[in-house]
Amino acid sequence: MLFCIPGFVLLAQWISMANLQQGAPEEKEKAAALKDLLSRIDLDELMKKDEPALDFPLTLEGFGYSFNEKGQLRDIKTGEPFVFNCREDLHRWNQKRYEALGEVITQYVYGLLENECHLQKIMIPDDATEEEPRSFIFMSEDALTNPDKLLILIQGSGAVRAGQWARRLIINEDLDSGTQIPYIKKAVDNGYGVIVLNPNENYIEVEKTKEQPEPSSDSTDEPAEKRERKDESLKETKKRCDVYEKYRNPQKEKETEQICIKDNSSPEEHVIYVWDHFISKANAKHIFFVAHSYGGLAFLEVLLQREVEVKSRVSAVALTDSVHNVWHQEAGKSVLDWLQKVQNGMS
């Protein structure tokens, strides 16, 4: 028979059992009885009991939101800002909803880059086969042909994709605060070519295939008693993992695995790839970088890997809240001196 009790009661029971296990023999007996009770609780049903299905809309309108004329995300019916806690006491579901909304906003921003900023979506790597995963960047039509000025934008790490500085700012403030669109529009108005990098698009996710069972330990030369102990240990570990998995993934979401994008499997790889295949081939006399947070670290990496080229082509660099580390990344004095110079716009 399976029991299903509220989550806070279960937590209290676990704490109680932990305390009992440290007490006298009679308390340990109580702990054993409590452990037996907990072993018969169906965590799958417990966690799903009050959690709605993780089935979210694919459009802003489906979520009940839209961006107003000021670029602020607002409830279509009430005009109120975004509310994270849509369902009280369901933090996991609320977080999943927030992430799903973030994915919809990412696609919305892509549309703005193409339709409002008139940038072109360029697939990379250019030598990938049809079966291989690919990423992309955005470029103005004159990015490689502009003879004078070229602006490169690199965001930080995390969920943000091309054209975004911070998802949280897009959702809670406005598009001008959280996206790169104001930078892009001003750059284009002032005669710059523009390339928008996409350093966090490093892999695709596919449904994970079932793991093949490991060969039996009977084929080894280990003594029978040692094999039995090992098998018991493996069974106990698997049991604990199964319990954790029911708690972590109560709705049995599909397990996925990552397939890396060739030459773009990390932000650093991505920036180096775009430098080699696009930026270094641009006609612009002056190249300018704006790199935020982890983007600063990625820029420093391309500087270290392509020092002579970068120094000869880049006129100025703006590192905003950068997390680069010149000591950890082993930047020499010549690099440090050059960085100080171009960050002051004196190159």
Side-chain angles (χ1 to χ4, degrees), residues 60-76:
L60 282 175
E61 293 74 17
F63 277 96
Y65 286 96
S66 65
F67 286 101
N68 62 20
E69 65 281 358
K70 295 180 180 180
Q72 300 166 323
L73 187 67
R74 292 293 183 261
D75 187 288
I76 293 174

Side-chain angles (χ1 to χ4, degrees), residues 3 14 137 167 183 272 287 303 313:
F3 295 87
W14 276 333
I137 58 174
R167 176 182 289 182
Y183 285 71
I272 291 173
I287 298 176
L303 170 58
R313 299 296 308 278

